């Protein structure tokens, strides 16, 4: 085994809902990125760190690349594109249960064709494809671009992920670690907790409201003596009618959101959590620069 220590940044890009966050969570062995069956769940560039005797890989999970319909959407696409700067390798994740579509071709023609980085193609969700059909769309995707490597994987079950990581280490330059070798992410726990609250909106509500909502954690306090973390957060929606949906009859829906989020956060931090949630209206925040800045979405 080589004793050369390697390090570098690897960005994960792809259309919405192809499994980027699921892949990141599996790679680092802990849930830090929220997941949902609904598209366009991810709104931040989240880093996951893998360190072993071979070196350190910093993976960057990005929002799904799509045609934006509001200022927030533009910011998310900009985040994904900007993540390709100053990285060593790009992972293009695609859905192996579907044909290569216009969204995949858009990524290749408008992003990959303009960079000079090695690109690995990861064909995902093959655990959902019958064995006889596993290669059905592989050639379609492989012919889109001159990929350095092509892997058939299952982000959910980890199939072939070790091979991907080994090939990444082979391709990275020699270098020192960027982060503490015990770290799994550089994202602070407060921000991850906010994402876990937002995840429950995707899991428990209909199609419209989760995409119109945002979370702002107002306070995050640890009481070491009591072994308790107190979190106060606001759930922002765009209309009064959406506020009613989030709260639910007699406050039951908000209670369920809070209970589920609290369990996820407790598992993350290994501490008891007191979670206080409030629902507020911030009209048309997705198209308002001032509101986007307040909620933590960068506006150029």
């Amino acid at each position: 085994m080589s004793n050369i220590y390697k390090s570098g940044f690897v960005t994960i890009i792809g259309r919405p809902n192809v499994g980027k966050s699921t892949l990141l969570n599996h790679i680092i062995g802990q849930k830090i990125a929220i997941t949902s069956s609904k598209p366009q769940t991810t709104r931040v560039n989240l880093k996951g760190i893998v360190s072993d005797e071979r070196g350190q890989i910093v993976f960057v999970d990005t929002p799904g690349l799509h045609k934006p319909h509001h200022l927030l959407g533009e910011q998310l696409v900009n985040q994904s594109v900007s993540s390709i700067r100053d990285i060593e390798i790009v992972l293009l994740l695609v859905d192996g249960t579907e044909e290569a579509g216009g969204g995949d071709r858009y990524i290749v023609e408008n992003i990959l064709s303009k960079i000079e980085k090695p690109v690995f193609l990861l064909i995902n969700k093959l655990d959902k494809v019958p064995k006889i059909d596993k290669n059905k769309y592989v050639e379609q995707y492989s012919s889109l671009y001159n990929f350095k490597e092509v892997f058939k994987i299952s982000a959910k079950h980890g199939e072939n992920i070790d091979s991907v990581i080994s090939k990444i280490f082979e391709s990275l330059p020699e270098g020192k670690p960027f982060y503490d070798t015990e770290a799994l992410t550089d994202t602070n726990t407060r921000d991850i907790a906010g994402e876990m609250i937002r995840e429950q909106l995707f899991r428990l509500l209909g199609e419209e409201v989760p995409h119109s909502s945002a979370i702002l954690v107002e306070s995050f306090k640890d009481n070491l003596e009591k072994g308790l973390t107190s979190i106060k957060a606001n759930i922002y929606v765009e209309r009064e009618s959406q506020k009613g949906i989030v709260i639910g009859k007699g406050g039951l829906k908000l209670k369920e959101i809070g209970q589920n989020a609290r369990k996820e956060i407790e598992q993350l931090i290994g501490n008891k959590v007191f979670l206080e949630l409030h629902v507020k209206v911030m009209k048309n925040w997705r198209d308002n620069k001032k509101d986007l800045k307040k909620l933590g979405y960068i506006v150029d």
Side-chain angles (χ1 to χ4, degrees):
M1 181 179 291
S2 171
N3 58 1
I4 297 175
Y5 194 94
K6 296 186 172 185
S7 63
F9 286 76
V10 175
T11 191
I12 308 170
I13 67 171
R15 292 183 294 108
N17 210 32
V18 293
K20 297 183 296 297
S21 297
T22 300
L23 174 62
L24 182 68
N25 289 337
H26 187 94
I27 285 172
I28 69 168
Q30 181 175 321
K31 180 177 178 178
I32 60 169
I34 67 173
T35 61
S36 167
S37 59
K38 298 181 177 71
Q40 298 175 31
T41 307
T42 301
R43 288 183 183 165
V44 294
N45 284 354
L46 188 67
K47 293 185 181 70
I49 303 165
V50 172
S51 304
D52 63 23
E53 69 280 356
R54 295 170 292 182
Q56 185 178 87
I57 308 171
V58 183
F59 291 92
V60 184
D61 178 29
T62 63
L65 289 162
H66 62 285
K67 184 177 180 180
H69 300 291
H70 39 64
L71 186 56
L72 172 64
E74 292 177 14
Q75 293 300 302
L76 301 185
V77 171
N78 289 341
Q79 281 186 42
S80 295
V81 174
S82 66
S83 73
I84 299 175
R85 300 172 193 154
D86 302 321
I87 58 94
E88 279 67 44
I89 297 170
V90 177
L91 303 183
L92 174 61
L93 194 65
V94 300
D95 186 341
T97 68
E98 302 175 354
E99 292 187 65
D104 301 296
R105 293 185 178 86
Y106 175 85
I107 293 171
V108 169
E109 293 169 5
N110 292 274
I111 299 173
L112 298 186
S113 65
K114 299 177 182 179
I115 65 173
E116 295 182 4
K117 309 277 186 180
V119 182
F120 292 6
L121 174 66
L122 276 56
I123 304 173
N124 189 30
K125 302 189 180 182
L126 292 181
D127 53 293
K128 296 182 178 181
V129 180
K131 193 170 184 180
I132 194 172
D133 293 328
K134 280 195 181 292
N135 293 317
K136 189 173 182 180
Y137 302 127
V138 171
E139 189 173 335
Q140 271 191 27
Y141 283 111
S142 301
S143 64
L144 290 176
Y145 185 78
N146 184 25
F147 296 103
K148 181 174 181 180
E149 303 286 345
V150 177
F151 295 92
K152 293 179 283 186
I153 71 162
S154 166
K156 184 177 181 180
H157 299 293
E159 181 182 340
N160 224 15
I161 302 301
D162 287 344
S163 298
V164 176
I165 293 175
S166 294
K167 187 58 69 173
I168 290 172
F169 272 121
E170 285 181 26
S171 304
L172 286 179
E174 184 177 352
K176 296 180 180 179
F178 295 93
Y179 298 95
D180 187 299
T181 55
E182 297 298 316
L184 294 178
T185 183
D186 71 338
T187 304
N188 65 54
T189 306
R190 179 187 183 124
D191 289 341
I192 296 176
E195 286 291 280
M196 288 182 168
I197 297 167
R198 191 166 65 85
E199 179 181 42
Q200 294 307 316
L201 303 182
F202 277 89
R203 293 187 180 277
L204 298 174
L205 301 175
E207 291 291 332
E208 176 196 359
V209 176
H211 291 103
S212 302
S213 63
I215 309 298
L216 185 61
V217 177
E218 295 283 357
S219 64
F220 190 104
K221 298 178 181 178
D222 290 317
N223 188 320
L224 299 179
E225 290 184 3
K226 294 183 178 180
L228 180 70
T229 299
S230 298
I231 303 170
K232 181 180 179 181
N234 293 332
I235 301 173
Y236 288 99
V237 292
E238 291 188 312
R239 296 194 298 276
E240 200 68 38
S241 59
Q242 294 171 338
K243 179 178 178 180
I245 293 171
V246 176
I247 294 173
K249 187 176 181 180
L252 291 179
K253 184 58 67 176
L254 183 61
K255 182 179 180 181
E256 185 180 10
I257 291 167
Q259 288 175 336
N260 290 2
R262 177 178 53 78
K263 290 176 184 177
E264 292 278 358
I265 298 168
E266 285 178 344
Q267 188 172 351
L268 171 72
I269 66 177
N271 202 18
K272 287 289 184 183
V273 169
F274 173 77
L275 178 60
E276 181 181 347
L277 296 178
H278 298 275
V279 186
K280 299 185 177 183
V281 176
M282 185 183 285
K283 291 185 178 180
N284 301 319
W285 66 265
R286 288 181 292 178
D287 271 314
N288 186 297
K289 286 186 178 182
K290 183 179 178 181
D291 292 339
L292 287 173
K293 286 182 179 180
K294 177 180 178 178
L295 295 169
Y297 300 113
I298 298 172
V299 177
D300 295 330

